[in-house]
PDB file of all heavy atoms in Angstrom:
ATOM      1  N   ARG A  33      -4.972  78.400 -32.908  1.00 98.00           N
ATOM      2  CA  ARG A  33      -3.670  78.700 -33.508  1.00 98.00           C
ATOM      3  C   ARG A  33      -3.834  79.213 -34.940  1.00 98.00           C
ATOM      4  O   ARG A  33      -3.150  80.160 -35.348  1.00 98.00           O
ATOM      5  CB  ARG A  33      -2.784  77.457 -33.475  1.00 98.00           C
ATOM      6  CG  ARG A  33      -2.340  77.074 -32.071  1.00 98.00           C
ATOM      7  CD  ARG A  33      -1.421  75.857 -32.090  1.00 98.00           C
ATOM      8  NE  ARG A  33      -1.032  75.460 -30.744  1.00 98.00           N
ATOM      9  CZ  ARG A  33      -0.266  74.404 -30.458  1.00 98.00           C
ATOM     10  NH1 ARG A  33       0.197  73.655 -31.454  1.00 98.00           N
ATOM     11  NH2 ARG A  33       0.032  74.111 -29.209  1.00 98.00           N
ATOM     12  N   ALA A  53      11.060  74.904 -39.470  1.00 98.00           N
ATOM     13  CA  ALA A  53      11.681  74.432 -38.227  1.00 98.00           C
ATOM     14  C   ALA A  53      10.750  73.430 -37.545  1.00 98.00           C
ATOM     15  O   ALA A  53       9.523  73.543 -37.624  1.00 98.00           O
ATOM     16  CB  ALA A  53      11.954  75.612 -37.296  1.00 98.00           C
ATOM     17  N   ALA A  54      11.340  72.453 -36.850  1.00 98.00           N
ATOM     18  CA  ALA A  54      10.543  71.374 -36.256  1.00 98.00           C
ATOM     19  C   ALA A  54       9.526  71.893 -35.255  1.00 98.00           C
ATOM     20  O   ALA A  54       8.379  71.422 -35.216  1.00 98.00           O
ATOM     21  CB  ALA A  54      11.471  70.361 -35.589  1.00 98.00           C
ATOM     22  N   ASP A  55       9.916  72.855 -34.408  1.00 97.00           N
ATOM     23  CA  ASP A  55       8.995  73.335 -33.381  1.00 97.00           C
ATOM     24  C   ASP A  55       7.826  74.090 -33.991  1.00 97.00           C
ATOM     25  O   ASP A  55       6.682  73.952 -33.544  1.00 97.00           O
ATOM     26  CB  ASP A  55       9.731  74.182 -32.343  1.00 97.00           C
ATOM     27  CG  ASP A  55      10.561  75.297 -32.957  1.00 97.00           C
ATOM     28  OD1 ASP A  55      11.188  75.084 -34.007  1.00 97.00           O
ATOM     29  OD2 ASP A  55      10.598  76.395 -32.376  1.00 97.00           O
ATOM     30  N   PHE A  56       8.063  74.891 -35.023  1.00 98.00           N
ATOM     31  CA  PHE A  56       6.964  75.594 -35.669  1.00 98.00           C
ATOM     32  C   PHE A  56       6.101  74.636 -36.488  1.00 98.00           C
ATOM     33  O   PHE A  56       4.880  74.824 -36.589  1.00 98.00           O
ATOM     34  CB  PHE A  56       7.489  76.728 -36.543  1.00 98.00           C
ATOM     35  CG  PHE A  56       7.717  78.000 -35.782  1.00 98.00           C
ATOM     36  CD1 PHE A  56       8.998  78.442 -35.513  1.00 98.00           C
ATOM     37  CD2 PHE A  56       6.653  78.744 -35.315  1.00 98.00           C
ATOM     38  CE1 PHE A  56       9.215  79.615 -34.798  1.00 98.00           C
ATOM     39  CE2 PHE A  56       6.850  79.919 -34.604  1.00 98.00           C
ATOM     40  CZ  PHE A  56       8.135  80.355 -34.342  1.00 98.00           C
ATOM     41  N   PHE A  57       6.710  73.621 -37.092  1.00 98.00           N
ATOM     42  CA  PHE A  57       5.939  72.600 -37.800  1.00 98.00           C
ATOM     43  C   PHE A  57       4.953  71.954 -36.820  1.00 98.00           C
ATOM     44  O   PHE A  57       3.775  71.771 -37.123  1.00 98.00           O
ATOM     45  CB  PHE A  57       6.871  71.555 -38.399  1.00 98.00           C
ATOM     46  CG  PHE A  57       6.217  70.617 -39.370  1.00 98.00           C
ATOM     47  CD1 PHE A  57       6.361  70.805 -40.730  1.00 98.00           C
ATOM     48  CD2 PHE A  57       5.477  69.525 -38.924  1.00 98.00           C
ATOM     49  CE1 PHE A  57       5.774  69.928 -41.640  1.00 98.00           C
ATOM     50  CE2 PHE A  57       4.883  68.654 -39.809  1.00 98.00           C
ATOM     51  CZ  PHE A  57       5.021  68.850 -41.177  1.00 98.00           C
ATOM     52  N   GLN A  58       5.438  71.629 -35.616  1.00 98.00           N
ATOM     53  CA  GLN A  58       4.554  71.028 -34.623  1.00 98.00           C
ATOM     54  C   GLN A  58       3.478  72.009 -34.178  1.00 98.00           C
ATOM     55  O   GLN A  58       2.314  71.626 -33.980  1.00 98.00           O
ATOM     56  CB  GLN A  58       5.349  70.536 -33.410  1.00 98.00           C
ATOM     57  CG  GLN A  58       4.450  69.930 -32.339  1.00 98.00           C
ATOM     58  CD  GLN A  58       5.177  68.994 -31.402  1.00 98.00           C
ATOM     59  OE1 GLN A  58       6.314  68.625 -31.643  1.00 98.00           O
ATOM     60  NE2 GLN A  58       4.522  68.600 -30.342  1.00 98.00           N
ATOM     61  N   TYR A  59       3.841  73.274 -34.017  1.00 98.00           N
ATOM     62  CA  TYR A  59       2.856  74.290 -33.631  1.00 98.00           C
ATOM     63  C   TYR A  59       1.702  74.322 -34.633  1.00 98.00           C
ATOM     64  O   TYR A  59       0.531  74.417 -34.247  1.00 98.00           O
ATOM     65  CB  TYR A  59       3.522  75.659 -33.554  1.00 98.00           C
ATOM     66  CG  TYR A  59       2.562  76.806 -33.351  1.00 98.00           C
ATOM     67  CD1 TYR A  59       2.059  77.118 -32.083  1.00 98.00           C
ATOM     68  CD2 TYR A  59       2.143  77.582 -34.427  1.00 98.00           C
ATOM     69  CE1 TYR A  59       1.168  78.161 -31.896  1.00 98.00           C
ATOM     70  CE2 TYR A  59       1.244  78.628 -34.254  1.00 98.00           C
ATOM     71  CZ  TYR A  59       0.765  78.921 -32.986  1.00 98.00           C
ATOM     72  OH  TYR A  59      -0.124  79.954 -32.812  1.00 98.00           O
ATOM     73  N   LEU A 172      10.585  85.752 -38.265  1.00 97.00           N
ATOM     74  CA  LEU A 172      10.684  84.831 -37.134  1.00 97.00           C
ATOM     75  C   LEU A 172      10.240  85.491 -35.829  1.00 97.00           C
ATOM     76  O   LEU A 172       9.547  84.878 -35.015  1.00 97.00           O
ATOM     77  CB  LEU A 172      12.115  84.311 -37.003  1.00 97.00           C
ATOM     78  CG  LEU A 172      12.380  83.326 -35.854  1.00 97.00           C
ATOM     79  CD1 LEU A 172      11.484  82.103 -35.976  1.00 97.00           C
ATOM     80  CD2 LEU A 172      13.847  82.919 -35.838  1.00 97.00           C
ATOM     81  N   ARG A 176       7.298  84.056 -33.450  1.00 97.00           N
ATOM     82  CA  ARG A 176       7.505  83.641 -32.052  1.00 97.00           C
ATOM     83  C   ARG A 176       6.389  84.150 -31.149  1.00 97.00           C
ATOM     84  O   ARG A 176       5.996  83.479 -30.192  1.00 97.00           O
ATOM     85  CB  ARG A 176       8.859  84.150 -31.553  1.00 97.00           C
ATOM     86  CG  ARG A 176      10.042  83.393 -32.124  1.00 97.00           C
ATOM     87  CD  ARG A 176      11.365  84.012 -31.701  1.00 97.00           C
ATOM     88  NE  ARG A 176      12.493  83.186 -32.086  1.00 97.00           N
ATOM     89  CZ  ARG A 176      13.764  83.516 -31.892  1.00 97.00           C
ATOM     90  NH1 ARG A 176      14.060  84.675 -31.338  1.00 97.00           N
ATOM     91  NH2 ARG A 176      14.731  82.694 -32.269  1.00 97.00           N
ATOM     92  N   ARG A 179       3.313  82.080 -30.051  1.00 98.00           N
ATOM     93  CA  ARG A 179       3.413  81.008 -29.058  1.00 98.00           C
ATOM     94  C   ARG A 179       3.483  81.511 -27.620  1.00 98.00           C
ATOM     95  O   ARG A 179       3.634  80.719 -26.693  1.00 98.00           O
ATOM     96  CB  ARG A 179       4.634  80.132 -29.390  1.00 98.00           C
ATOM     97  CG  ARG A 179       4.378  79.293 -30.626  1.00 98.00           C
ATOM     98  CD  ARG A 179       5.602  78.797 -31.341  1.00 98.00           C
ATOM     99  NE  ARG A 179       6.529  78.063 -30.510  1.00 98.00           N
ATOM    100  CZ  ARG A 179       7.633  77.482 -30.967  1.00 98.00           C
ATOM    101  NH1 ARG A 179       7.927  77.561 -32.267  1.00 98.00           N
ATOM    102  NH2 ARG A 179       8.438  76.849 -30.164  1.00 98.00           N
ATOM    103  N   LYS A 182      -0.927  80.728 -24.062  1.00 98.00           N
ATOM    104  CA  LYS A 182      -1.324  79.330 -24.175  1.00 98.00           C
ATOM    105  C   LYS A 182      -2.853  79.189 -24.141  1.00 98.00           C
ATOM    106  O   LYS A 182      -3.547  79.898 -23.417  1.00 98.00           O
ATOM    107  CB  LYS A 182      -0.713  78.513 -23.030  1.00 98.00           C
ATOM    108  CG  LYS A 182       0.801  78.622 -22.930  1.00 98.00           C
ATOM    109  CD  LYS A 182       1.507  78.174 -24.196  1.00 98.00           C
ATOM    110  CE  LYS A 182       3.014  78.198 -24.085  1.00 98.00           C
ATOM    111  NZ  LYS A 182       3.578  79.549 -24.058  1.00 98.00           N
ATOM    112  N   GLU A 186      -3.790  73.644 -23.477  1.00 98.00           N
ATOM    113  CA  GLU A 186      -2.350  73.529 -23.281  1.00 98.00           C
ATOM    114  C   GLU A 186      -2.010  73.666 -21.793  1.00 98.00           C
ATOM    115  O   GLU A 186      -1.171  72.927 -21.258  1.00 98.00           O
ATOM    116  CB  GLU A 186      -1.620  74.605 -24.074  1.00 98.00           C
ATOM    117  CG  GLU A 186      -1.718  74.446 -25.578  1.00 98.00           C
ATOM    118  CD  GLU A 186      -1.006  75.564 -26.308  1.00 98.00           C
ATOM    119  OE1 GLU A 186      -1.633  76.621 -26.516  1.00 98.00           O
ATOM    120  OE2 GLU A 186       0.173  75.378 -26.663  1.00 98.00           O
ATOM    121  N   MET A 190      -0.218  71.082 -19.139  1.00 98.00           N
ATOM    122  CA  MET A 190       0.892  71.483 -18.275  1.00 98.00           C
ATOM    123  C   MET A 190       0.582  71.197 -16.807  1.00 98.00           C
ATOM    124  O   MET A 190       1.476  70.802 -16.049  1.00 98.00           O
ATOM    125  CB  MET A 190       1.199  72.967 -18.486  1.00 98.00           C
ATOM    126  CG  MET A 190       1.695  73.281 -19.895  1.00 98.00           C
ATOM    127  SD  MET A 190       1.896  75.047 -20.191  1.00 98.00           S
ATOM    128  CE  MET A 190       3.677  75.162 -20.311  1.00 98.00           C
ATOM    129  N   GLU A 239       7.519  62.106 -22.832  1.00 97.00           N
ATOM    130  CA  GLU A 239       8.974  62.043 -22.963  1.00 97.00           C
ATOM    131  C   GLU A 239       9.608  62.526 -21.657  1.00 97.00           C
ATOM    132  O   GLU A 239       9.175  63.531 -21.093  1.00 97.00           O
ATOM    133  CB  GLU A 239       9.456  62.939 -24.097  1.00 97.00           C
ATOM    134  CG  GLU A 239       8.845  62.633 -25.442  1.00 97.00           C
ATOM    135  CD  GLU A 239       9.027  63.790 -26.398  1.00 97.00           C
ATOM    136  OE1 GLU A 239      10.111  63.876 -27.017  1.00 97.00           O
ATOM    137  OE2 GLU A 239       8.105  64.617 -26.505  1.00 97.00           O
ATOM    138  N   LEU A 241      12.425  64.392 -20.689  1.00 97.00           N
ATOM    139  CA  LEU A 241      13.510  65.218 -21.214  1.00 97.00           C
ATOM    140  C   LEU A 241      14.676  65.258 -20.239  1.00 97.00           C
ATOM    141  O   LEU A 241      15.833  65.265 -20.661  1.00 97.00           O
ATOM    142  CB  LEU A 241      13.021  66.629 -21.520  1.00 97.00           C
ATOM    143  CG  LEU A 241      11.938  66.755 -22.591  1.00 97.00           C
ATOM    144  CD1 LEU A 241      11.743  68.221 -22.973  1.00 97.00           C
ATOM    145  CD2 LEU A 241      12.253  65.929 -23.829  1.00 97.00           C
ATOM    146  N   ILE A 276      12.005  67.328 -15.948  1.00 98.00           N
ATOM    147  CA  ILE A 276      11.356  67.954 -17.105  1.00 98.00           C
ATOM    148  C   ILE A 276      10.648  66.888 -17.931  1.00 98.00           C
ATOM    149  O   ILE A 276      11.284  66.176 -18.712  1.00 98.00           O
ATOM    150  CB  ILE A 276      12.359  68.713 -17.999  1.00 98.00           C
ATOM    151  CG1 ILE A 276      13.209  69.685 -17.186  1.00 98.00           C
ATOM    152  CG2 ILE A 276      11.613  69.459 -19.097  1.00 98.00           C
ATOM    153  CD1 ILE A 276      14.207  70.473 -18.016  1.00 98.00           C
ATOM    154  N   PRO A 277       9.328  66.762 -17.786  1.00 98.00           N
ATOM    155  CA  PRO A 277       8.565  65.925 -18.708  1.00 98.00           C
ATOM    156  C   PRO A 277       8.045  66.757 -19.876  1.00 98.00           C
ATOM    157  O   PRO A 277       7.832  67.959 -19.762  1.00 98.00           O
ATOM    158  CB  PRO A 277       7.406  65.434 -17.840  1.00 98.00           C
ATOM    159  CG  PRO A 277       7.196  66.556 -16.854  1.00 98.00           C
ATOM    160  CD  PRO A 277       8.532  67.221 -16.648  1.00 98.00           C
ATOM    161  N   ARG A 278       7.859  66.088 -21.009  1.00 98.00           N
ATOM    162  CA  ARG A 278       7.180  66.702 -22.159  1.00 98.00           C
ATOM    163  C   ARG A 278       5.984  65.821 -22.465  1.00 98.00           C
ATOM    164  O   ARG A 278       6.126  64.658 -22.855  1.00 98.00           O
ATOM    165  CB  ARG A 278       8.118  66.781 -23.356  1.00 98.00           C
ATOM    166  CG  ARG A 278       7.575  67.605 -24.537  1.00 98.00           C
ATOM    167  CD  ARG A 278       8.641  67.720 -25.615  1.00 98.00           C
ATOM    168  NE  ARG A 278       8.348  68.740 -26.593  1.00 98.00           N
ATOM    169  CZ  ARG A 278       8.305  68.520 -27.916  1.00 98.00           C
ATOM    170  NH1 ARG A 278       8.525  67.305 -28.382  1.00 98.00           N
ATOM    171  NH2 ARG A 278       8.060  69.507 -28.747  1.00 98.00           N
ATOM    172  N   GLY A 281       3.773  67.052 -26.451  1.00 96.00           N
ATOM    173  CA  GLY A 281       4.384  68.201 -27.091  1.00 96.00           C
ATOM    174  C   GLY A 281       4.463  69.451 -26.253  1.00 96.00           C
ATOM    175  O   GLY A 281       4.861  70.498 -26.761  1.00 96.00           O
ATOM    176  N   ILE A 282       4.132  69.375 -24.958  1.00 97.00           N
ATOM    177  CA  ILE A 282       4.158  70.543 -24.083  1.00 97.00           C
ATOM    178  C   ILE A 282       5.091  70.261 -22.911  1.00 97.00           C
ATOM    179  O   ILE A 282       4.994  69.214 -22.269  1.00 97.00           O
ATOM    180  CB  ILE A 282       2.754  70.896 -23.555  1.00 97.00           C
ATOM    181  CG1 ILE A 282       1.758  71.050 -24.713  1.00 97.00           C
ATOM    182  CG2 ILE A 282       2.795  72.167 -22.726  1.00 97.00           C
ATOM    183  CD1 ILE A 282       2.016  72.229 -25.617  1.00 97.00           C
ATOM    184  N   VAL A 283       5.979  71.225 -22.601  1.00 98.00           N
ATOM    185  CA  VAL A 283       7.037  71.025 -21.606  1.00 98.00           C
ATOM    186  C   VAL A 283       6.782  71.867 -20.361  1.00 98.00           C
ATOM    187  O   VAL A 283       6.314  73.006 -20.444  1.00 98.00           O
ATOM    188  CB  VAL A 283       8.404  71.420 -22.205  1.00 98.00           C
ATOM    189  CG1 VAL A 283       9.537  71.142 -21.215  1.00 98.00           C
ATOM    190  CG2 VAL A 283       8.650  70.682 -23.517  1.00 98.00           C
ATOM    191  N   ILE A 284       7.126  71.288 -19.196  1.00 98.00           N
ATOM    192  CA  ILE A 284       7.173  72.055 -17.937  1.00 98.00           C
ATOM    193  C   ILE A 284       8.500  71.753 -17.244  1.00 98.00           C
ATOM    194  O   ILE A 284       9.191  70.785 -17.593  1.00 98.00           O
ATOM    195  CB  ILE A 284       5.981  71.764 -16.995  1.00 98.00           C
ATOM    196  CG1 ILE A 284       6.010  70.294 -16.487  1.00 98.00           C
ATOM    197  CG2 ILE A 284       4.664  72.072 -17.690  1.00 98.00           C
ATOM    198  CD1 ILE A 284       6.697  70.097 -15.175  1.00 98.00           C
ATOM    199  N   GLU A 285       8.843  72.576 -16.266  1.00 98.00           N
ATOM    200  CA  GLU A 285      10.060  72.359 -15.471  1.00 98.00           C
ATOM    201  C   GLU A 285       9.730  72.374 -13.981  1.00 98.00           C
ATOM    202  O   GLU A 285       8.853  73.124 -13.534  1.00 98.00           O
ATOM    203  CB  GLU A 285      11.089  73.456 -15.747  1.00 98.00           C
ATOM    204  CG  GLU A 285      11.717  73.386 -17.106  1.00 98.00           C
ATOM    205  CD  GLU A 285      12.828  74.417 -17.296  1.00 98.00           C
ATOM    206  OE1 GLU A 285      13.105  75.205 -16.351  1.00 98.00           O
ATOM    207  OE2 GLU A 285      13.424  74.432 -18.378  1.00 98.00           O
ATOM    208  N   HIS A 349      12.474  81.668 -18.451  1.00 97.00           N
ATOM    209  CA  HIS A 349      12.173  81.752 -19.872  1.00 97.00           C
ATOM    210  C   HIS A 349      10.760  81.251 -20.081  1.00 97.00           C
ATOM    211  O   HIS A 349      10.148  80.646 -19.196  1.00 97.00           O
ATOM    212  CB  HIS A 349      13.163  80.880 -20.663  1.00 97.00           C
ATOM    213  CG  HIS A 349      13.333  79.507 -20.099  1.00 97.00           C
ATOM    214  ND1 HIS A 349      12.426  78.487 -20.305  1.00 97.00           N
ATOM    215  CD2 HIS A 349      14.285  78.997 -19.271  1.00 97.00           C
ATOM    216  CE1 HIS A 349      12.827  77.410 -19.654  1.00 97.00           C
ATOM    217  NE2 HIS A 349      13.946  77.685 -19.008  1.00 97.00           N
ATOM    218  N   GLY A 350      10.236  81.475 -21.278  1.00 97.00           N
ATOM    219  CA  GLY A 350       8.923  80.946 -21.600  1.00 97.00           C
ATOM    220  C   GLY A 350       8.925  79.430 -21.598  1.00 97.00           C
ATOM    221  O   GLY A 350       9.957  78.784 -21.748  1.00 97.00           O
ATOM    222  N   MET A 351       7.727  78.852 -21.429  1.00 97.00           N
ATOM    223  CA  MET A 351       7.554  77.396 -21.472  1.00 97.00           C
ATOM    224  C   MET A 351       6.483  77.067 -22.505  1.00 97.00           C
ATOM    225  O   MET A 351       5.553  77.846 -22.713  1.00 97.00           O
ATOM    226  CB  MET A 351       7.117  76.851 -20.105  1.00 97.00           C
ATOM    227  CG  MET A 351       8.122  77.067 -18.985  1.00 97.00           C
ATOM    228  SD  MET A 351       9.687  76.223 -19.250  1.00 97.00           S
ATOM    229  CE  MET A 351       9.154  74.518 -19.348  1.00 97.00           C
ATOM    230  N   GLY A 352       6.608  75.894 -23.133  1.00 97.00           N
ATOM    231  CA  GLY A 352       5.612  75.500 -24.123  1.00 97.00           C
ATOM    232  C   GLY A 352       6.089  74.329 -24.942  1.00 97.00           C
ATOM    233  O   GLY A 352       6.482  73.288 -24.410  1.00 97.00           O
ATOM    234  N   ILE A 353       6.091  74.488 -26.278  1.00 97.00           N
ATOM    235  CA  ILE A 353       6.506  73.409 -27.170  1.00 97.00           C
ATOM    236  C   ILE A 353       7.963  73.048 -26.931  1.00 97.00           C
ATOM    237  O   ILE A 353       8.336  71.873 -26.948  1.00 97.00           O
ATOM    238  CB  ILE A 353       6.261  73.808 -28.639  1.00 97.00           C
ATOM    239  CG1 ILE A 353       4.753  73.873 -28.919  1.00 97.00           C
ATOM    240  CG2 ILE A 353       6.916  72.812 -29.600  1.00 97.00           C
ATOM    241  CD1 ILE A 353       4.397  74.437 -30.280  1.00 97.00           C
ATOM    242  N   LEU A 354       8.784  74.060 -26.711  1.00 94.00           N
ATOM    243  CA  LEU A 354      10.181  73.847 -26.374  1.00 94.00           C
ATOM    244  C   LEU A 354      10.382  73.995 -24.872  1.00 94.00           C
ATOM    245  O   LEU A 354       9.616  74.690 -24.201  1.00 94.00           O
ATOM    246  CB  LEU A 354      11.060  74.863 -27.100  1.00 94.00           C
ATOM    247  CG  LEU A 354      11.078  74.796 -28.627  1.00 94.00           C
ATOM    248  CD1 LEU A 354      11.879  75.963 -29.190  1.00 94.00           C
ATOM    249  CD2 LEU A 354      11.656  73.479 -29.104  1.00 94.00           C
ATOM    250  N   GLY A 355      11.455  73.368 -24.365  1.00 92.00           N
ATOM    251  CA  GLY A 355      11.793  73.591 -22.960  1.00 92.00           C
ATOM    252  C   GLY A 355      12.132  75.051 -22.720  1.00 92.00           C
ATOM    253  O   GLY A 355      11.639  75.670 -21.787  1.00 92.00           O
ATOM    254  N   HIS A 356      12.986  75.613 -23.573  1.00 94.00           N
ATOM    255  CA  HIS A 356      13.254  77.040 -23.551  1.00 94.00           C
ATOM    256  C   HIS A 356      12.416  77.658 -24.660  1.00 94.00           C
ATOM    257  O   HIS A 356      12.845  77.812 -25.789  1.00 94.00           O
ATOM    258  CB  HIS A 356      14.745  77.328 -23.748  1.00 94.00           C
ATOM    259  CG  HIS A 356      15.550  77.137 -22.503  1.00 94.00           C
ATOM    260  ND1 HIS A 356      16.502  78.024 -22.079  1.00 94.00           N
ATOM    261  CD2 HIS A 356      15.529  76.155 -21.575  1.00 94.00           C
ATOM    262  CE1 HIS A 356      17.045  77.599 -20.937  1.00 94.00           C
ATOM    263  NE2 HIS A 356      16.467  76.454 -20.630  1.00 94.00           N
ATOM    264  N   GLU A 357      11.184  77.990 -24.300  1.00 95.00           N
ATOM    265  CA  GLU A 357      10.197  78.504 -25.244  1.00 95.00           C
ATOM    266  C   GLU A 357      10.319  80.021 -25.327  1.00 95.00           C
ATOM    267  O   GLU A 357      11.018  80.661 -24.543  1.00 95.00           O
ATOM    268  CB  GLU A 357       8.799  78.072 -24.761  1.00 95.00           C
ATOM    269  CG  GLU A 357       7.614  78.481 -25.600  1.00 95.00           C
ATOM    270  CD  GLU A 357       7.657  77.916 -27.004  1.00 95.00           C
ATOM    271  OE1 GLU A 357       8.255  78.598 -27.860  1.00 95.00           O
ATOM    272  OE2 GLU A 357       7.087  76.840 -27.260  1.00 95.00           O
ATOM    273  N   TYR A 358       9.620  80.597 -26.287  1.00 94.00           N
ATOM    274  CA  TYR A 358       9.607  82.049 -26.434  1.00 94.00           C
ATOM    275  C   TYR A 358       8.622  82.663 -25.437  1.00 94.00           C
ATOM    276  O   TYR A 358       7.581  82.085 -25.167  1.00 94.00           O
ATOM    277  CB  TYR A 358       9.209  82.413 -27.864  1.00 94.00           C
ATOM    278  CG  TYR A 358      10.006  81.657 -28.895  1.00 94.00           C
ATOM    279  CD1 TYR A 358       9.387  80.768 -29.773  1.00 94.00           C
ATOM    280  CD2 TYR A 358      11.387  81.804 -28.971  1.00 94.00           C
ATOM    281  CE1 TYR A 358      10.128  80.062 -30.695  1.00 94.00           C
ATOM    282  CE2 TYR A 358      12.129  81.096 -29.903  1.00 94.00           C
ATOM    283  CZ  TYR A 358      11.487  80.226 -30.762  1.00 94.00           C
ATOM    284  OH  TYR A 358      12.222  79.518 -31.674  1.00 94.00           O
ATOM    285  N   PRO A 359       8.914  83.831 -24.865  1.00 93.00           N
ATOM    286  CA  PRO A 359      10.149  84.587 -25.060  1.00 93.00           C
ATOM    287  C   PRO A 359      11.293  84.022 -24.211  1.00 93.00           C
ATOM    288  O   PRO A 359      11.074  83.574 -23.093  1.00 93.00           O
ATOM    289  CB  PRO A 359       9.774  85.993 -24.591  1.00 93.00           C
ATOM    290  CG  PRO A 359       8.752  85.762 -23.542  1.00 93.00           C
ATOM    291  CD  PRO A 359       7.971  84.564 -23.995  1.00 93.00           C
ATOM    292  N   ASP A 360      12.486  84.080 -24.770  1.00 89.00           N
ATOM    293  CA  ASP A 360      13.663  83.568 -24.067  1.00 89.00           C
ATOM    294  C   ASP A 360      14.554  84.696 -23.562  1.00 89.00           C
ATOM    295  O   ASP A 360      15.687  84.453 -23.141  1.00 89.00           O
ATOM    296  CB  ASP A 360      14.459  82.622 -24.960  1.00 89.00           C
ATOM    297  CG  ASP A 360      14.828  83.261 -26.294  1.00 89.00           C
ATOM    298  OD1 ASP A 360      14.473  84.427 -26.515  1.00 89.00           O
ATOM    299  OD2 ASP A 360      15.471  82.578 -27.120  1.00 89.00           O
ATOM    300  N   VAL A 374       3.174  81.397 -20.040  1.00 98.00           N
ATOM    301  CA  VAL A 374       3.709  80.462 -19.045  1.00 98.00           C
ATOM    302  C   VAL A 374       5.230  80.588 -19.020  1.00 98.00           C
ATOM    303  O   VAL A 374       5.882  80.597 -20.071  1.00 98.00           O
ATOM    304  CB  VAL A 374       3.301  79.009 -19.355  1.00 98.00           C
ATOM    305  CG1 VAL A 374       3.820  78.068 -18.259  1.00 98.00           C
ATOM    306  CG2 VAL A 374       1.776  78.894 -19.472  1.00 98.00           C
ATOM    307  N   TYR A 375       5.782  80.685 -17.803  1.00 98.00           N
ATOM    308  CA  TYR A 375       7.222  80.891 -17.622  1.00 98.00           C
ATOM    309  C   TYR A 375       7.788  79.906 -16.611  1.00 98.00           C
ATOM    310  O   TYR A 375       7.084  79.427 -15.712  1.00 98.00           O
ATOM    311  CB  TYR A 375       7.492  82.311 -17.116  1.00 98.00           C
ATOM    312  CG  TYR A 375       7.309  83.376 -18.162  1.00 98.00           C
ATOM    313  CD1 TYR A 375       6.051  83.946 -18.366  1.00 98.00           C
ATOM    314  CD2 TYR A 375       8.360  83.797 -18.960  1.00 98.00           C
ATOM    315  CE1 TYR A 375       5.856  84.915 -19.337  1.00 98.00           C
ATOM    316  CE2 TYR A 375       8.180  84.767 -19.931  1.00 98.00           C
ATOM    317  CZ  TYR A 375       6.927  85.324 -20.116  1.00 98.00           C
ATOM    318  OH  TYR A 375       6.748  86.274 -21.086  1.00 98.00           O
ATOM    319  N   SER A 376       9.082  79.655 -16.743  1.00 98.00           N
ATOM    320  CA  SER A 376       9.829  79.052 -15.642  1.00 98.00           C
ATOM    321  C   SER A 376      10.298  80.182 -14.737  1.00 98.00           C
ATOM    322  O   SER A 376      10.573  81.287 -15.200  1.00 98.00           O
ATOM    323  CB  SER A 376      11.035  78.264 -16.157  1.00 98.00           C
ATOM    324  OG  SER A 376      12.040  79.136 -16.644  1.00 98.00           O
ATOM    325  N   THR A 394       6.993  76.250 -12.638  1.00 98.00           N
ATOM    326  CA  THR A 394       6.317  76.665 -13.862  1.00 98.00           C
ATOM    327  C   THR A 394       5.088  77.454 -13.457  1.00 98.00           C
ATOM    328  O   THR A 394       4.245  76.955 -12.703  1.00 98.00           O
ATOM    329  CB  THR A 394       5.942  75.444 -14.717  1.00 98.00           C
ATOM    330  OG1 THR A 394       7.141  74.722 -15.052  1.00 98.00           O
ATOM    331  CG2 THR A 394       5.238  75.873 -15.984  1.00 98.00           C
TER     332      THR A 394
END
Side-chain angles (χ1 to χ4, degrees):
R33 291 182 182 178
D55 52 321
F56 275 108
F57 192 101
Q58 179 158 349
Y59 172 81
L172 180 58
R176 286 175 172 177
R179 288 158 54 176
K182 305 301 183 289
E186 293 178 275
M190 296 174 111
E239 303 163 83
L241 298 191
I276 308 181
R278 189 175 195 234
I282 306 293
V283 183
I284 65 94
E285 289 185 0
H349 48 79
M351 297 297 300
I353 291 172
L354 296 174
H356 280 225
E357 181 61 271
Y358 310 117
D360 54 0
V374 183
Y375 287 88
S376 71
T394 300

